[in-house]
Amino acid sequence: MREPPQTDEGWYALHDFRRLDWAAWRDAPQREQERAIEEGVEHLQHHEAVADAEDGASAVFSMVGHKADLLIVHLRPTLDALSTAERRFDRTALGAFTEQSTSYVSVTEVSGYVSDDYFAEDETEVDAGLKRYIEGKLEPEIPEDQYVSFYPMSRKRGEQDNWYDLPFERRREMMEEHGEHGREFGGRVKQIVASSVGLDDWEWGVTLFSEDPTDLKDIVYEMRYDEASARYSEFGPFYVGRRFPPEDLPAFLAGETVPADEADDAHGHAHGEDGGHHDDGDGHHDGDAEHTRGDGDADAEDDADDIRGELEDLDIYAGKPHGEDVYATVLYSEADADELFEEVDGLRSNFDHYDTHVKTAVYDALDRDRRAVVSIWDTASAADTAAGFLSELPDVVSRAGEESGFGTMGMFYTVKSEHREDFVEKFETVGGLLADMEGHGETDLMINLEDENDMFIASQWRSKEDAMGFFRSDEFADTVSWGRDVLADRPRHVFLA
């Protein structure tokens, strides 16, 4: 009896593998090389910003080995958009120095192996968390993890071992076992799995991402012992490489290490005057903040590192540069709270499609007409890209970190409900103390419009030394001790200079 699982499709994927004609590149006049670099960077930035389509994602990778030099990955809502992206690269001056060593076409897919409920006629019965998970599989973000491994695979259709002869429940049982073992690599390996049945030579294209290339080896090795792989799977060639930002294309073509290290970036090495931070013309920015820091930004982060160390000496938890384990972008707006929330809620529904999105919320200042939009992400580049969209919100007046002086923010002071009024009263007392302190600019208590017990504190100082004067004070020590009884969990801190 035929029992194919139901499927749902999302974005189409193109893995465009390119081999450089290095001899022609070396022999080309400098003006031709410069034109090729300029058009290549522009093309790659344009597509990473998804300026060519309504939605999707793109990334470029430097490949290791003889099979290819470059891999350009495109995810787009339509197959036609992939075809256009492919041909437009061929029309660039850089494309003339390449040949397509191979390519792979597929479409993201979820099937009934994942959940029967998702395919139920009554969508109201589908768990919201499951729905977001599946939507993230159908419209995935390309992870920022540095290393990539791509391979095609198929299920066997031999006389003895034929996957398609097995009953549905037996196939689902093996897929569940396979998934359980894959989840053991959660946090270390991310994947995009796309179906290529009827689109390319194999049945699926699998793309793995990790910060550690040995994790790419380990997950494939260990999961081959699962019955679904050991008995019923066939694998094609493997390709491995490392992601780099488009502005590093000159370094790649010069035979230098990509991504270029931060020391090179700070001195503008091979990336042009703008540091590689691209604006697509609509105010939406792309690029990783870690690759666009100048000397002043590096000094500011050094200051933040110093202050975190000093706070640890005072037994005050300081977290990481952008939060405890996340990256934050914060914008301030003077728009009407209801109007602003409606706009943010619409963006948030799109952000929730991405696995890297943690939280986006609107906070209202306690004592003045000002709102803060806080967006929290797992990666710096995702937070920075979100800031581009959030900057389009009405009446935005500034972005945290753009003010002069030294900015400090205490985030996510989640207060026990019975102590909320006590917390607000304590803040007003401390606020009075701050107003009289040398070097203090302004401090706001911001309250989440959707949860009055979720507080956000933004504070501005003339310098790090002035801020540390407060953190070293007996009054602050008393506040920290008092907070242990009224807070529902440990606060996260963010320091932006």
Side-chain angles (χ1 to χ4, degrees), residues 203-214:
E203 294 176 348
W204 287 275
V206 180
T207 315
L208 305 176
F209 305 86
S210 179
E211 290 293 331
D212 186 343
T214 60

Side-chain angles (χ1 to χ4, degrees), residues 201-479:
D201 295 340
W202 298 74
E203 294 176 348
W204 287 275
V206 180
T207 315
L208 305 176
F209 305 86
S210 179
E211 290 293 331
D212 186 343
T214 60
D215 285 333
L216 301 175
K217 175 190 76 71
D218 289 344
I219 189 172
V220 175
Y221 173 72
E222 293 188 20
M223 294 183 72
R224 283 193 176 188
Y225 285 87
D226 297 341
E227 187 176 5
S229 290
R231 188 171 179 181
Y232 294 102
S233 294
E234 296 177 323
F235 298 88
F238 282 72
Y239 299 81
V240 66
R242 186 174 184 180
R243 185 171 183 174
F244 69 90
E247 57 267 23
D248 276 355
L249 181 63
F252 168 81
L253 292 170
E256 299 173 4
T257 299
V258 290
D261 61 36
E262 293 176 357
D264 286 342
D265 281 351
H267 293 87
H269 175 73
H271 300 324
E273 296 179 359
D274 67 354
H277 198 76
H278 176 65
D279 190 318
D280 65 16
D282 297 323
H284 298 164
H285 299 282
D286 71 292
D288 190 330
E290 293 299 317
H291 292 289
T292 58
R293 295 188 306 165
D295 288 330
D297 295 324
D299 291 342
E301 187 159 312
D302 289 341
D303 281 344
D305 288 337
D306 291 342
I307 198 172
R308 282 191 296 278
E310 294 180 45
L311 289 172
E312 287 177 2
D313 292 339
L314 296 173
D315 195 28
I316 301 168
Y317 177 69
K320 294 181 179 180
H322 297 270
E324 182 179 6
D325 51 10
V326 292
Y327 295 85
T329 186
V330 182
L331 296 96
Y332 297 103
S333 171
E334 294 178 351
D336 175 78
D338 291 338
E339 177 189 358
L340 183 64
F341 178 81
E342 183 177 353
E343 294 277 351
V344 171
D345 195 41
L347 286 173
R348 183 169 59 183
S349 65
N350 292 325
F351 291 165
D352 284 339
H353 292 168
Y354 298 97
D355 293 339
T356 52
H357 182 233
V358 177
K359 173 181 180 177
T360 297
V362 179
Y363 292 75
D364 202 6
L366 179 67
D367 294 324
R368 63 170 167 157
D369 188 24
R370 192 186 199 193
R371 260 63 61 191
V373 180
V374 180
S375 193
I376 313 297
W377 297 79
D378 285 334
T379 65
S381 61
D384 199 52
T385 300
F389 290 97
L390 295 170
S391 65
E392 304 269 328
L393 292 170
D395 298 328
V396 169
V397 293
S398 66
R399 179 178 176 183
E402 293 177 344
E403 307 94 338
S404 60
F406 186 86
T408 70
M409 299 186 296
M411 297 181 62
F412 299 133
Y413 288 83
T414 305
V415 184
K416 296 177 182 176
S417 58
E418 64 269 25
H419 291 295
R420 183 185 181 279
E421 293 184 5
D422 297 334
F423 185 88
V424 173
E425 183 178 345
K426 186 73 169 180
F427 171 80
E428 292 174 340
T429 301
V430 174
L433 171 68
L434 289 172
D436 297 329
M437 291 196 69
E438 183 72 19
H440 175 257
E442 58 186 23
T443 295
D444 288 309
L445 176 63
M446 320 292 292
I447 300 171
N448 191 335
L449 291 179
E450 298 170 274
D451 180 1
E452 66 174 10
N453 298 317
D454 178 12
M455 310 284 186
F456 169 81
I457 294 178
S459 187
Q460 190 69 26
W461 298 82
R462 182 177 59 195
S463 68
K464 184 193 78 170
E465 290 70 25
D466 292 325
M468 284 304 303
F470 171 64
F471 290 128
R472 294 192 187 98
S473 68
D474 292 337
E475 290 83 358
F476 184 75
D478 291 341
T479 301

Side-chain angles (χ1 to χ4, degrees), residues 112-301:
Y113 295 133
V114 176
S115 170
D116 287 331
D117 293 337
Y118 178 76
F119 294 95
E121 293 183 5
D122 187 1
E123 293 187 1
T124 61
E125 297 296 321
V126 182
D127 177 78
L130 173 63
K131 189 173 182 179
R132 282 197 300 272
Y133 168 80
I134 290 177
E135 288 172 346
K137 296 297 183 184
L138 294 177
E139 300 180 0
E141 181 179 273
I142 298 176
E144 292 295 331
D145 303 67
Q146 296 182 38
Y147 295 97
V148 65
S149 173
F150 171 81
Y151 61 93
M153 63 163 291
S154 294
R155 296 298 182 192
K156 289 182 180 178
R157 298 190 301 276
E159 293 181 6
Q160 293 184 331
D161 295 319
N162 188 334
W163 175 263
Y164 298 96
D165 272 347
L166 298 173
F168 175 80
E169 289 303 324
R170 179 70 185 111
R171 281 180 271 132
R172 174 149 62 181
E173 180 183 303
M174 285 189 281
M175 292 301 296
E176 288 177 353
E177 175 200 27
H178 198 63
E180 288 176 4
H181 291 163
R183 283 189 287 273
E184 295 174 5
F185 288 84
R188 290 187 289 154
V189 178
K190 302 179 181 71
Q191 67 174 7
I192 296 176
V193 179
S195 173
S196 48
V197 175
L199 301 177
D200 219 311
D201 295 340
W202 298 74
E203 294 176 348
W204 287 275
V206 180
T207 315
L208 305 176
F209 305 86
S210 179
E211 290 293 331
D212 186 343
T214 60
D215 285 333
L216 301 175
K217 175 190 76 71
D218 289 344
I219 189 172
V220 175
Y221 173 72
E222 293 188 20
M223 294 183 72
R224 283 193 176 188
Y225 285 87
D226 297 341
E227 187 176 5
S229 290
R231 188 171 179 181
Y232 294 102
S233 294
E234 296 177 323
F235 298 88
F238 282 72
Y239 299 81
V240 66
R242 186 174 184 180
R243 185 171 183 174
F244 69 90
E247 57 267 23
D248 276 355
L249 181 63
F252 168 81
L253 292 170
E256 299 173 4
T257 299
V258 290
D261 61 36
E262 293 176 357
D264 286 342
D265 281 351
H267 293 87
H269 175 73
H271 300 324
E273 296 179 359
D274 67 354
H277 198 76
H278 176 65
D279 190 318
D280 65 16
D282 297 323
H284 298 164
H285 299 282
D286 71 292
D288 190 330
E290 293 299 317
H291 292 289
T292 58
R293 295 188 306 165
D295 288 330
D297 295 324
D299 291 342
E301 187 159 312

